[in-house]
Amino acid sequence: MTARLLDIRGLTVSRGPGDVLRDVDLSVRTGELAVLLGANGAGKTTLLDAVSGLVATRAGQLRFDGEEVSGLTRTRRARLGIRHVEQGRAVFGDLTVRENLAVAAPAERHAEALEPFPELHKRMHVRAALLSGGEQQMLVLARALLRPASKRAAGTRLLLLDELSLGLAPIVVARLLPIVRSLTDQGITVLLVEQFANLVLPIADTVHVLDRGAIAFSGSPAELEASPGVLHKAYLSA
Ligand SMILES: Nc1ncnc2c1ncn2[C@@H]1O[C@H](COP(=O)(O)OP(=O)(O)OP(=O)(O)O)[C@@H](O)[C@H]1O
């Protein structure tokens, strides 16, 4: 295992006519919680999409545990342990919590994935549409932690999380974030995209700021706080 689980060099991604990401360097160390901040449209979602294989890269390198993955399909990357929770809490509303998990993996694998979410244990037979927003987000996270049925597939090693806070009350987000933080204790590396810095800086090991498709800052939360101009510029120039 390499110290840099994810190592991105010179990444350029185009969507439509222009480059959405330009020459991005970003690395995430094994076992850390890294946060990616930036204004609306800065390219945060696109960066996660490029890592998981939802969007093709135009130039640059994407190494996962030392292996170049930019030429691999999304399925192959998932098998290596890259899991992507996209924006917007997609659950099967008509299915129960248990059935939502069963769609992704057999029942004997559910207990391990549910461990960080005691609230869900009591709701296994409830239809997902009837869960609160926070509980739905927990279900989506539990699904991302399920060990796949295929013996060749790795468990979750890198979890890409896109704006968990979207549409949730701050008090619900405050309940979710420590759970996300605790995943790193299980050896899961997390790259978390967020628009609101104040929510996530307290739990981050490292912070990256995207400003119109380019990295404007990489460092610790304390270093970012010591340079308030970075966020100001990234959010105001958008
Ligand atoms: N499928 C697409 N086709 C064309 N352009 C796209 C597509 N998806 C995103 N874009 C454009 O790429 C740019 C970056 O979008 P992206 O969603 O990556 O930013 P973001 O930082 O995640 O913003 P948000 O916080 O609003 O989700 C935007 O200008 C957006 O309009």
Side-chain angles (χ1 to χ4, degrees):
M1 194 185 288
T2 57
R4 288 177 171 180
L5 186 66
L6 178 67
D7 199 14
I8 300 174
R9 296 286 137 215
L11 180 69
T12 298
V13 176
S14 307
R15 278 189 139 152
D19 291 343
V20 172
L21 293 175
R22 287 184 316 280
D23 201 19
V24 167
D25 291 347
L26 184 155
S27 56
V28 183
R29 292 190 307 275
T30 303
E32 79 169 343
L33 190 151
V35 164
L36 180 61
L37 299 173
N40 268 323
K44 307 179 296 297
T45 294
T46 300
L47 191 138
L48 295 194
D49 288 352
V51 174
S52 70
L54 270 176
V55 68
T57 61
R58 194 160 74 71
Q61 297 167 337
L62 266 177
R63 289 214 182 87
F64 178 70
D65 200 10
E67 180 182 351
E68 178 60 49
V69 295
S70 54
L72 302 184
T73 62
R74 189 160 196 240
T75 311
R76 291 274 305 280
R77 294 185 214 191
R79 267 198 216 132
L80 294 175
I82 300 175
R83 304 277 190 282
H84 186 179
V85 172
E86 292 170 56
Q87 233 175 59
R89 289 196 293 287
V91 294
F92 299 106
D94 287 339
L95 302 185
T96 65
V97 169
R98 186 184 299 282
E99 288 164 346
N100 265 274
L101 295 170
V103 168
E108 65 267 21
R109 291 165 198 256
H110 295 183
E112 185 188 10
L114 283 168
E115 212 169 295
F117 312 102
E119 282 102 320
L120 283 186
H121 289 244
K122 296 169 264 166
R123 315 278 278 157
M124 293 300 281
H125 298 289
V126 174
R127 281 200 303 124
L130 301 178
L131 298 175
S132 69
E135 288 168 335
Q136 288 184 358
Q137 194 63 284
M138 288 180 196
L139 175 55
V140 171
L141 285 169
R143 221 167 39 194
L145 297 178
L146 283 168
R147 196 168 283 276
S150 158
K151 284 206 179 69
R152 284 179 302 158
T156 305
R157 297 181 65 199
L158 175 66
L159 192 54
L160 307 167
L161 301 177
D162 200 349
E163 292 206 39
L164 291 183
S165 68
L166 205 70
L168 295 179
I171 192 168
V172 178
V173 180
R175 168 81 191 97
L176 273 175
L177 290 177
I179 298 177
V180 171
R181 175 73 245 186
S182 74
L183 297 178
T184 60
D185 300 334
Q186 301 173 28
I188 295 171
T189 304
V190 179
L191 177 56
L192 174 65
V193 155
E194 183 51 67
Q195 209 186 330
F196 301 107
N198 60 329
L199 290 177
V200 289
L201 284 180
I203 63 159
D205 294 309
T206 309
V207 191
H208 306 274
V209 179
L210 265 181
D211 183 0
R212 288 164 294 169
I215 291 286
F217 173 90
S218 287
S220 68
E223 286 164 340
L224 183 63
E225 272 166 40
S227 1
V230 171
L231 281 185
H232 192 72
K233 182 168 176 299
Y235 283 78
L236 283 187
S237 62

